[in-house]
Amino acid sequence: MWLGPEEVLLAGALWVTERANPFFLLQRRRGHGKGGGLTGLLVGTLDVVLDSSARVAPYRILHQTQDSQVYWAVACGSSRKEITKHWEWLENNLLQTLSIFDNEEDITTFVKGKIHGIIAEENKNEQPQSEEDPGKFKEAELKMRKQFGMPEVEKLVNYYSCSYWKGRVPRQGWLYLTVNHLCFYSFLLGKEVTLVIQWVDVTQLEKNATLLFPECIKVSTRDSELYFSMFLNINETFKLMEQLANIAMRQLLDNESFLQDKSLPKPRRPLKNISALKRDLDARAKNECYRATFRLPKDECLDGHTDCTLWTPFNKMHIPGQMFVSNNYICFASRAEEACHLIIPLREVTIVEKADSSSVLPSPLSISTKSKMTFFFANLKDRDFLVQRISDFLQRTPSKKSCSIDDREWKWNVADPSSEEVPELPSSSPLAVSPTSALNHRPVSFCAGQVPTASQGLLKLFRRNSEELSGPKGAKEKMKEESWNIHFFEYGRGMCMYRTTKTRELVQKGIPENLRGELWLLFSGAWNEMVTHPGYYADLVEKSMGRYNLATEEIERDLHRSMPEHPAFQNELGIAALRRVLTAYAFRNPTIGYCQAMNIVTSVLLLYCNEEEAFWLLVALCERMLPDYYNTRVVGALVDQGIFEELTREYLPQLSEKMQELGVISTISLSWFLTLFLSVMPFESAVVIVDCFFYEGIKFILQVSLAILDANMEKLLQCCDEGEAMTILGRYLDNVVNRQSVSPPIPHLHALLTSGDDPPLEIDIFELIKTSYEKFGNLKADDIEQMRFKQRLKVIQSLEDTAKKSVVRAVSGDIGFTMEELEELYVVFKAKYLMSCYWGNNRAAAARRDQSLPYLEQYRIDMEQFKELFSSLTPWACGAHTPVLAGRLFRLLDENRDSLINFKEFVTGMSGMYHGDLTEKLKVLYKLHLPPALNPEETESALEATSYFTEDVTTEETQEDKGRRNENGPEKEEKGTSPQDYRYYLRMWAKEKENKKETIKDLPKMSQEQFIELCKTLYNMFSEDPVEQELYHAIATVASLLLRIGEVGKKFSNRPTRKSEDCKANSAQDPVSEEESPTSEQSQNSAVEQQPQADHEDKASVDAQPEKTQQENQTLGDGSGEGQGSPLQLLSDDETKDDMSMSSYSMVSTGSLQCEDIADDTVLVGCEGSSAAARYGSTIDTDWSISFEQILASMLTETALVNYFEKKVNILQKIKDQKKVERQFSSSSDYELSSVSG
């Protein structure tokens, strides 16, 4: 390729000049090519260690002038062909022009300008994002592609110099991290190491230091453990590797592949050797951390952050920390953890102004909000730029709808800022107007004619007159409310509240029931999404009500199981509200839809919030606070279960071993985590856990779980089995009480566990929470996120292994492969599918995977992918003809005609070629040359068939496809709209079983053009075999014999009385159907009997036969359908070879014939009495046909053919070779291998 001219001082060092003229030199790297010896080894090692581009570009062209000592590199090449092309261009286009110049400086300037012009022209059509990457990085990406054979779409993220430990020896080289692969290359004194690992295969990533290895990164896959060390910045490398592995896990989990963010702002100053992709991933990591810290919506992107101080009026201090600015929020986090957090939505901001600087307050910034709060930031480094950015974001912030928050009406009203005040809704009104209608200025009727929506928490509507309200518990509740009111006065209320340790202390003491919904919305961040999406919930309910699918069916089933003991869900109002919220969420997020446990959590949310608020709290839970918890495989809960096990090992090592032995943790943690203890604790106590969870996140659930195990440690250590341990924990949780609750006690479903001789010991929920903070309060959210990544790798790979075993077990019964072979084939099949997801030009492959389908149906490949797998795994290699054969097998396997095949169909096709006897293998080959495997177009291209034949077959195929579509159409519609009856599946199963009863007599006959296609395939199959000539001779003999048998058979097929109506009826049937009746086998002959030339051809061909052959063929014709032995009874090997000597030898002598030649020769041999025109399709012999039994019997006469089809091929070796070939090494990297071997 052309290079931007670079100065080279020592042109002769490590390079050999091969061509020269007055202005240019063509040089080759020492050691490249044949030989090279010790010099080549040393130069190769030096190139790798110093990351020289000569590794992948061992040729270069230098520009020079006679009197100058300075050379300029203008081109480089990976091969002699590439560099010669550049050299010839220079000689043809520049040499004459340069000889005109007098001044050498002018010559150099002209050459440099010309080369720059060529490069600019070449880069004109490149994608714009590649221009962002620095030149050095582009060079590294080129090396990566050449070294590891990666396609253009595989993007390099970053590369690092490091050592790979092979045994106890470090191999210094370069680690390339691409979007989908980890690659390493090293070449030291002839020893070459090349590693390519897909991120989806990584099961563990660890950064550790041992006595054997210095600080290193350990990369584990199912097959191996790799150690890399000696990084300049090991933390940066490890963090990037984690991100890339995480993206790969996302792809396995929910088919979400990596898409680069093209809207990333360009850096203000050029960044050396940092790619646009690396910047994108860094930005993603910061965004995720920012959103998690402040519980912001998933689409919020951090614009920047800066150090500053915040004036906190509640303690009259300037707290140091960082300000974060994004599109819709200004946030602050103090350096001291939990000293102060602040979130200011830009929709609330009214004024941003720069205050006067002073020695006490340098560069202050004042931000005022609609709720009359003012925040003072100081010590800002670049205040003017920051104010400009905030102003830009403010201008883009929609101001037409916002929230009006004050102490009285914050919770129940969302007001238009244009109206000064919204009247408070009377608390006595059970069905007040919902917030949605306040936003849209229209009443909301979710379900016309049905129960109206609950516009406030159900607890307010169904609170029974409790004496507790006027007793000591009521007084305690009022004290709590007063404490919160004082806190609101000092720290602010609403989104802009200062969140400090004081806030956490109040939450730990329990949130008052009247404030619970409000504070849950604030702490979870759900309020932000609700306010910015006015009317969204109402529209969702309107669209989703009345829809029927699997999720709604499951929701209906679970509605009456959701807190049935609570009066709010013993009537239609509560049930209808729960139905609407769950259905709306299933409609919003179909990938989750509905999962058990969502009903329990949502029913509690509805007790304290109105429907819309409960919906947005559910969104916050499912999509942000408990990611992946409520999908079909509850991956998130399994991940946190792994974290819980790890924390148990760390904090409770004695108990950990016992719990592992009993297998209790996996049982308890899912029920605890999925329902946030709501299903295992009395409601009044569990709701306090939910209070703390919304403030602290999953960290609090984990620390309470540890506290519960710690409290029961002695009893658990004495347990003998899992049941006993579960009873102890169940009893303990049943007796966790909330003595401060003002609600009447709700009977707990698990109360039966408490029956026993001794009265149960009650545990106060607030004491449990206090203990959890004292003993396990040092857990940090960042550490938990790190542990989540580690466990996610383990859990997802474990689920993938389970899926593989399930699929292999499901298909193993009907397939000849062993379990080991099936597992290896599954790995190859899945890898091919995943490769199409990230290397395909479109996203169709990703869209094909539906997580709700059974494992067997989740991965499906199309024809192009199948062709690639077929060519590398088939035992029937056919050279250039292989893709054609692969296409035919694909069409044969694709029974439902959706242009995709699943794993079972794939291994069925492979098994047909690898297993079974000669008959079974020939049967597969035979079917590949009949429709639907054989396209009409293929026979047309082979024989240039007449228009009659093409139209006839095409019409027949079209009618057949239409019939199949009509037959399947209503069935598919029925399947989509309502669940199938079990009898439908029984019928399908019975039909599958019937299909397997196929015998060789059921196979339809083969026409002449189809037979010729079969011959072409066989000739191609034998072209590279060691006994090639013997096989050619055998197949020529068999083909000639079969052509003559077909000629004679044609004579007898014309004898019966013609029944045109029957012919027409039979011709509409599928000639390849496995259930074809014997009558329809002859439809190909009878359908074309009316051709005028048929009788003439018949007569001519019969006249041309010798008398002996006529007698033989008459007998053959009479017994042609009687079985395999009939041809053998009449024709021995010697007789056949003598009769056909001319034909067979004429065909064998052609050696490795091309397909076209075979077709011509074969027709000539079979139609000796026909005119020369018969070799082309103008007079195709449409009456000619041959049966499978005749082909089989003829094949059995030739030992070479029998041996070929019965020889065993090891598919595991093919798979191993396929994995090696999957990534072809470029020619530029081959020379080291040759030089070493030499």
Side-chain angles (χ1 to χ4, degrees):
M1 72 176 184
W2 298 106
L3 300 174
E6 295 176 3
E7 197 172 307
V8 177
L9 292 175
L10 296 171
L14 308 180
W15 293 85
V16 179
T17 301
E18 293 200 334
R19 294 193 193 178
N21 61 42
F23 302 105
F24 297 102
L25 299 175
L26 190 156
Q27 296 187 324
R28 171 179 54 82
R29 190 71 164 174
R30 285 187 190 276
H32 179 72
K34 293 179 181 178
L38 183 61
T39 308
L41 294 180
L42 289 171
V43 172
T45 303
L46 196 64
D47 286 344
V48 169
V49 174
L50 299 179
D51 190 28
S52 165
S53 58
R55 245 339 256 175
V56 290
Y59 296 94
R60 70 179 183 185
I61 296 175
L62 300 180
H63 165 62
Q64 62 156 0
T65 50
Q66 290 180 353
D67 299 330
S68 173
Q69 297 301 312
V70 179
Y71 295 81
W72 298 87
V74 295
C76 67
S78 58
S79 64
R80 188 179 293 276
K81 182 180 178 183
E82 182 186 354
I83 205 70
T84 304
K85 182 182 172 186
H86 289 333
W87 178 262
E88 288 173 353
W89 188 91
L90 290 171
E91 284 191 327
N92 295 334
N93 294 281
L94 285 190
L95 276 187
Q96 288 186 345
T97 310
L98 294 179
S99 59
I100 299 169
F101 287 93
D102 297 327
N103 190 334
E104 290 185 355
E105 287 184 11
D106 293 344
I107 294 174
T108 303
T109 305
F110 179 80
V111 169
K112 285 161 73 175
K114 199 73 177 171
I115 300 299
H116 280 303
I118 295 170
I119 293 170
E121 192 65 31
E122 284 181 350
N123 292 344
K124 189 187 293 181
N125 298 324
E126 280 192 12
Q127 293 179 341
Q129 75 267 16
S130 64
E131 294 300 320
E132 296 178 14
D133 296 336
K136 183 77 175 167
F137 187 86
K138 284 186 187 176
E139 192 179 300
E141 189 168 44
L142 178 71
K143 285 181 203 172
M144 179 273 296
R145 290 217 183 93
K146 297 243 182 184
Q147 194 68 62
F148 304 104
M150 297 287 178
E152 287 284 328
V153 289
E154 183 68 349
K155 298 293 183 186
L156 179 65
V157 181
N158 215 348
Y159 62 105
Y160 301 93
S161 173
C162 68
S163 290
Y164 161 62
W165 291 80
K166 194 167 184 182
R168 296 193 176 188
V169 182
R171 301 292 176 86
Q172 185 66 26
W174 290 86
L175 182 72
Y176 297 90
L177 304 181
T178 73
V179 172
N180 302 298
H181 295 85
L182 176 153
C183 307
F184 177 82
Y185 183 80
S186 169
F187 179 86
L188 291 177
L189 298 177
K191 300 289 185 183
E192 187 175 46
V193 177
T194 306
L195 297 172
V196 178
I197 297 164
Q198 290 189 0
W199 289 117
V200 288
D201 293 334
V202 173
T203 56
Q204 197 174 6
L205 269 180
E206 285 184 302
K207 184 178 66 173
N208 52 26
T210 62
L211 290 172
L212 182 61
F213 301 115
E215 192 175 28
C216 65
I217 294 173
K218 176 185 169 187
V219 181
S220 303
T221 65
R222 289 178 180 82
D223 309 319
S224 59
E225 292 182 349
L226 311 172
Y227 293 88
F228 299 95
S229 66
M230 300 186 191
F231 291 92
L232 289 174
N233 189 341
I234 192 167
N235 292 327
E236 181 198 321
T237 311
F238 184 69
K239 189 177 172 186
L240 181 57
M241 289 167 87
E242 275 190 332
Q243 276 185 283
L244 293 167
N246 217 6
I247 289 168
M249 291 308 105
R250 275 270 148 235
Q251 190 176 18
L252 287 177
L253 177 61
D254 52 19
N255 232 24
E256 194 180 284
S257 54
F258 179 79
L259 285 173
Q260 188 180 347
D261 183 4
K262 303 289 177 59
S263 61
L264 206 64
K266 290 191 177 182
R268 282 191 283 174
R269 59 179 186 277
L271 300 169
K272 189 180 179 185
N273 291 354
I274 296 181
S275 68
L277 266 178
K278 175 72 167 61
R279 287 175 51 232
D280 184 4
L281 287 169
D282 289 344
R284 283 171 193 240
K286 286 179 183 175
N287 287 337
E288 284 168 18
C289 182
Y290 170 62
R291 289 192 293 260
T293 305
F294 298 104
R295 307 269 169 81
L296 299 176
K298 289 182 80 173
D299 55 355
E300 195 63 23
C301 293
L302 179 65
D303 187 67
H305 58 90
T306 182
D307 291 334
C308 67
T309 57
L310 171 66
W311 170 253
T312 48
F314 51 86
N315 60 2
K316 309 290 189 294
M317 287 177 65
H318 291 282
I319 298 180
Q322 282 192 316
M323 177 197 278
F324 301 84
V325 179
S326 61
N327 300 12
N328 301 294
Y329 298 90
I330 299 168
C331 301
F332 174 84
S334 58
R335 280 197 200 134
E337 194 178 358
E338 294 193 10
C340 182
H341 270 210
L342 179 65
I343 302 167
I344 309 171
L346 290 181
R347 63 178 181 271
E348 290 292 309
V349 173
T350 53
I351 301 169
V352 178
E353 58 183 351
K354 295 182 276 189
D356 296 331
S357 292
S358 66
S359 56
V360 182
L361 274 181
S363 305
L365 181 67
S366 164
I367 298 176
S368 301
T369 66
K370 294 172 184 173
S371 55
K372 306 295 186 287
M373 291 181 75
T374 303
F375 303 94
F376 285 102
F377 297 91
N379 293 288
L380 292 159
K381 289 181 183 173
D382 198 348
R383 185 176 62 166
D384 294 341
F385 177 75
L386 181 66
V387 170
Q388 184 59 49
R389 291 302 289 165
I390 294 173
S391 301
D392 291 344
F393 289 136
L394 277 171
Q395 285 175 3
R396 295 179 215 160
T397 304
S399 58
K400 54 187 175 183
K401 291 188 173 68
S402 184
C403 53
S404 173
I405 303 172
D406 67 19
D407 291 354
R408 293 172 299 127
E409 55 196 41
W410 185 90
K411 183 178 177 187
W412 306 117
N413 296 293
V414 182
D416 192 321
S418 60
S419 62
E420 298 208 354
E421 197 174 309
V422 177
E424 184 182 0
L425 292 171
S427 58
S428 59
S429 167
L431 300 175
V433 183
S434 76
T436 312
S437 56
L439 280 167
N440 290 323
H441 303 286
R442 59 182 169 87
V444 176
S445 174
F446 291 123
C447 244
Q450 294 185 17
V451 179
T453 177
S455 60
Q456 51 184 308
L458 294 174
L459 207 59
K460 284 180 179 282
L461 304 179
F462 292 94
R463 178 179 284 159
R464 291 173 289 190
N465 293 326
S466 172
E467 295 176 4
E468 306 288 353
L469 290 172
S470 56
K473 287 187 178 178
K476 182 78 174 173
E477 184 77 0
K478 285 181 180 174
M479 284 175 62
K480 280 188 188 175
E481 284 188 28
E482 191 55 37
S483 297
W484 275 99
N485 286 330
I486 293 168
H487 185 271
F488 291 148
F489 179 76
E490 290 185 6
Y491 295 84
R493 188 169 188 172
M495 279 312 299
C496 301
M497 173 171 53
Y498 293 98
R499 300 166 200 214
T500 66
T501 48
K502 175 75 172 168
T503 316
R504 190 177 72 177
E505 287 167 13
L506 282 174
V507 171
Q508 286 171 32
K509 290 174 184 174
I511 297 175
E513 289 195 349
N514 289 337
L515 296 173
R516 194 159 261 147
E518 170 185 340
L519 293 174
W520 283 0
L521 283 162
L522 277 184
F523 296 148
S524 66
W527 177 254
N528 285 320
E529 291 184 280
M530 187 174 79
V531 173
T532 52
H533 295 83
Y536 178 84
Y537 174 69
D539 292 340
L540 263 186
V541 170
E542 200 175 317
K543 288 175 186 172
S544 62
M545 293 311 284
R547 291 291 187 95
Y548 177 88
N549 56 28
L550 186 60
T552 55
E553 187 183 330
E554 290 176 351
I555 289 168
E556 286 300 324
R557 191 178 60 227
D558 285 352
L559 282 176
H560 295 279
R561 302 177 192 171
S562 310
M563 294 191 71
E565 65 277 13
H566 198 286
F569 298 99
Q570 291 168 359
N571 67 83
E572 188 55 29
L573 179 64
I575 294 293
L578 184 59
R579 178 188 291 115
R580 284 192 291 270
V581 174
L582 290 173
T583 307
Y585 186 77
F587 196 75
R588 165 191 165 90
N589 191 345
T591 54
I592 290 178
Y594 171 76
C595 174
Q596 280 189 330
M598 284 171 72
N599 58 321
I600 296 170
V601 175
T602 309
S603 59
V604 175
L605 299 178
L606 279 167
L607 290 176
Y608 296 99
C609 308
N610 67 33
E611 276 184 41
E612 185 179 25
E613 292 166 345
F615 170 79
W616 287 111
L617 276 170
L618 186 63
V619 169
L621 267 177
C622 296
E623 296 175 15
R624 289 189 283 110
M625 299 190 74
L626 297 176
D628 306 320
Y629 259 60
Y630 300 106
N631 58 25
T632 49
R633 298 191 278 182
V634 293
V635 171
L638 291 171
V639 167
D640 286 346
Q641 175 188 303
I643 294 173
F644 185 41
E645 288 180 18
E646 203 173 320
L647 292 172
T648 309
R649 279 195 296 275
E650 184 181 339
Y651 288 99
L652 307 169
Q654 289 176 301
L655 189 58
S656 174
E657 290 179 23
K658 185 71 176 179
M659 298 293 272
Q660 289 292 337
E661 183 187 321
L662 297 175
V664 175
I665 286 186
S666 58
T667 311
I668 58 172
S669 53
L670 281 183
S671 60
W672 292 4
F673 296 167
L674 277 169
T675 64
L676 303 174
F677 289 95
L678 288 164
S679 64
V680 293
M681 254 187 208
F683 169 73
E684 309 83 39
S685 306
V687 82
V688 182
I689 298 274
V690 178
D691 290 343
C692 297
F693 165 74
F694 276 122
Y695 188 77
E696 296 275 17
I698 193 63
K699 166 176 115 67
F700 177 74
I701 299 294
L702 290 167
Q703 73 185 37
V704 167
S705 303
L706 288 169
I708 292 168
L709 291 187
D710 184 49
N712 292 277
M713 187 185 293
E714 290 181 15
K715 292 179 183 176
L716 289 170
L717 287 172
Q718 293 168 10
C719 287
C720 300
D721 57 36
E722 182 186 359
E724 190 180 347
M726 292 299 295
T727 304
I728 288 168
L729 290 169
R731 237 176 232 166
Y732 178 88
L733 290 166
D734 276 338
N735 291 289
V736 176
V737 296
N738 180 2
R739 297 190 181 95
Q740 300 175 13
S741 174
V742 292
S743 297
I746 297 169
H748 186 46
L749 295 176
H750 288 234
L752 293 172
L753 290 169
T754 61
S755 59
D757 300 331
D758 303 324
L761 180 68
E762 289 188 342
I763 303 97
D764 186 73
I765 181 65
F766 297 106
E767 282 300 316
L768 178 61
I769 289 172
K770 185 180 174 185
T771 306
S772 78
Y773 273 103
E774 286 172 355
K775 291 191 174 181
F776 310 106
N778 59 347
L779 287 178
K780 289 189 171 58
D782 291 346
D783 295 339
I784 289 170
E785 281 305 314
Q786 187 69 27
M787 292 162 83
R788 266 182 170 171
F789 162 74
K790 183 179 172 184
Q791 292 297 331
R792 194 178 291 119
L793 278 182
K794 195 182 294 183
V795 167
I796 293 177
Q797 295 293 14
S798 171
L799 288 171
E800 288 295 312
D801 288 342
T802 306
K804 177 170 74 174
K805 286 172 185 167
S806 300
V807 170
V808 167
R809 271 199 304 271
V811 303
S812 59
D814 313 322
I815 306 294
F817 292 116
T818 64
M819 295 292 274
E820 183 192 0
E821 288 170 340
L822 283 172
E823 286 188 3
E824 287 296 321
L825 280 169
Y826 180 81
V827 170
V828 169
F829 184 85
K830 182 176 130 188
K832 183 59 67 179
Y833 165 83
L834 290 173
M835 206 167 284
S836 71
C837 286
Y838 47 71
W839 283 355
N841 294 327
N842 52 37
R843 315 304 301 173
R848 289 203 293 267
R849 189 177 172 208
D850 183 355
Q851 295 282 352
S852 63
L853 291 172
Y855 288 132
L856 184 60
E857 292 290 334
Q858 285 192 13
Y859 297 115
R860 294 180 295 165
I861 59 174
D862 59 23
M863 186 181 283
E864 288 308 311
Q865 295 161 275
F866 178 78
K867 283 180 179 179
E868 291 171 23
L869 282 178
F870 180 89
S871 61
S872 57
L873 298 177
T874 180
W876 299 343
C878 301
H881 195 60
T882 304
V884 177
L885 199 64
R888 290 175 190 166
L889 181 57
F890 183 88
R891 286 190 288 275
L892 186 66
L893 296 172
D894 183 21
E895 292 177 1
N896 60 356
R897 301 289 180 271
D898 63 351
S899 301
L900 296 169
I901 61 169
N902 63 25
F903 179 66
K904 184 174 183 178
E905 292 164 336
F906 169 71
V907 290
T908 302
M910 285 289 135
S911 182
M913 295 184 286
Y914 275 93
H915 298 289
D917 54 13
L918 172 71
T919 308
E920 291 301 315
K921 289 179 181 176
L922 277 179
K923 195 193 290 184
V924 173
L925 201 58
Y926 186 84
K927 285 182 188 176
L928 291 181
H929 295 82
L930 296 170
L934 187 75
N935 268 345
E937 292 79 8
E938 291 181 324
T939 54
E940 182 187 359
S941 64
L943 293 168
E944 299 175 17
T946 59
S947 59
Y948 163 76
F949 173 75
T950 310
E951 284 165 15
D952 180 52
V953 176
T954 309
T955 309
E956 193 174 345
E957 287 291 297
T958 308
Q959 289 170 353
E960 174 203 328
D961 289 344
K962 190 184 291 183
R964 189 186 290 109
R965 278 200 300 275
N966 292 340
E967 184 185 336
N968 292 341
E971 209 172 77
K972 286 182 181 174
E973 283 174 25
E974 182 191 345
K975 191 172 180 182
T977 53
S978 63
Q980 288 291 358
D981 189 88
Y982 71 92
R983 285 169 297 185
Y984 165 79
Y985 292 106
L986 286 173
R987 283 197 303 272
M988 293 292 288
W989 180 72
K991 192 176 177 184
E992 276 183 21
K993 293 293 177 192
E994 282 172 17
N995 287 348
K996 290 172 189 169
K997 296 174 185 174
E998 176 201 50
T999 65
I1000 57 174
K1001 286 183 180 278
D1002 295 328
L1003 293 168
K1005 289 192 173 184
M1006 184 177 270
S1007 67
Q1008 190 178 61
E1009 45 281 323
Q1010 290 163 353
F1011 174 70
I1012 289 166
E1013 281 293 327
L1014 175 62
C1015 291
K1016 286 170 62 176
T1017 301
L1018 288 166
Y1019 267 82
N1020 280 292
M1021 279 168 63
F1022 305 150
S1023 62
E1024 295 175 9
D1025 198 270
V1027 289
E1028 179 182 357
Q1029 292 301 320
E1030 194 178 333
L1031 286 167
Y1032 278 154
H1033 189 282
I1035 194 58
T1037 306
V1038 168
S1040 302
L1041 171 64
L1042 287 168
L1043 282 163
R1044 293 171 66 186
I1045 289 172
E1047 288 291 336
V1048 177
K1050 180 178 67 174
K1051 173 185 173 184
F1052 291 98
S1053 70
N1054 286 340
R1055 278 187 178 179
T1057 310
R1058 299 173 184 179
K1059 298 177 182 178
S1060 58
E1061 287 101 350
D1062 292 348
C1063 294
K1064 286 175 185 174
N1066 288 341
S1067 66
Q1069 295 183 17
D1070 184 354
V1072 200
S1073 169
E1074 295 181 353
E1075 301 161 329
E1076 186 83 304
S1077 65
T1079 311
S1080 64
E1081 288 176 12
Q1082 297 169 9
S1083 62
Q1084 297 174 18
N1085 300 328
S1086 53
V1088 290
E1089 279 175 358
Q1090 296 170 13
Q1091 287 296 307
Q1093 75 268 31
D1095 293 332
H1096 169 74
E1097 280 187 9
D1098 189 17
K1099 185 172 183 300
S1101 59
V1102 172
D1103 290 343
Q1105 306 295 332
E1107 186 178 346
K1108 176 184 174 184
T1109 310
Q1110 281 185 25
Q1111 291 169 358
E1112 288 173 354
N1113 285 342
Q1114 185 174 351
T1115 317
L1116 273 173
D1118 292 337
S1120 62
E1122 292 178 9
Q1124 300 176 12
S1126 49
L1128 296 174
Q1129 296 163 6
L1130 301 162
L1131 290 167
S1132 68
D1133 283 0
D1134 295 332
E1135 287 171 338
T1136 309
K1137 286 174 184 173
D1138 290 340
D1139 283 350
M1140 307 305 298
S1141 57
M1142 278 304 290
S1143 310
S1144 59
Y1145 281 116
S1146 66
M1147 294 180 90
V1148 171
S1149 63
T1150 57
S1152 55
L1153 285 168
Q1154 296 300 316
C1155 297
E1156 295 78 5
D1157 300 330
I1158 295 161
D1160 294 349
D1161 290 351
T1162 309
V1163 178
L1164 279 170
V1165 170
C1167 308
E1168 294 167 30
S1170 302
S1171 64
R1175 79 171 68 182
Y1176 298 107
S1178 55
T1179 53
I1180 285 283
D1181 200 344
T1182 48
D1183 288 343
W1184 189 99
S1185 69
I1186 201 85
S1187 70
F1188 177 72
E1189 295 100 310
Q1190 291 166 330
I1191 291 177
L1192 177 63
S1194 305
M1195 288 275 201
L1196 287 169
T1197 63
E1198 294 291 338
T1199 312
L1201 294 177
V1202 174
N1203 292 342
Y1204 179 85
F1205 282 104
E1206 290 197 339
K1207 75 180 173 192
K1208 299 290 181 187
V1209 182
N1210 184 1
I1211 194 165
L1212 290 175
Q1213 186 58 44
K1214 286 263 185 189
I1215 292 170
K1216 194 175 176 184
D1217 296 340
Q1218 189 262 352
K1219 287 178 179 175
K1220 287 180 184 174
V1221 174
E1222 192 69 47
R1223 232 157 258 99
Q1224 288 286 344
F1225 293 125
S1226 62
S1227 56
S1228 63
S1229 64
D1230 290 342
Y1231 77 93
E1232 291 84 0
L1233 297 170
S1234 61
S1235 64
V1236 172
S1237 59

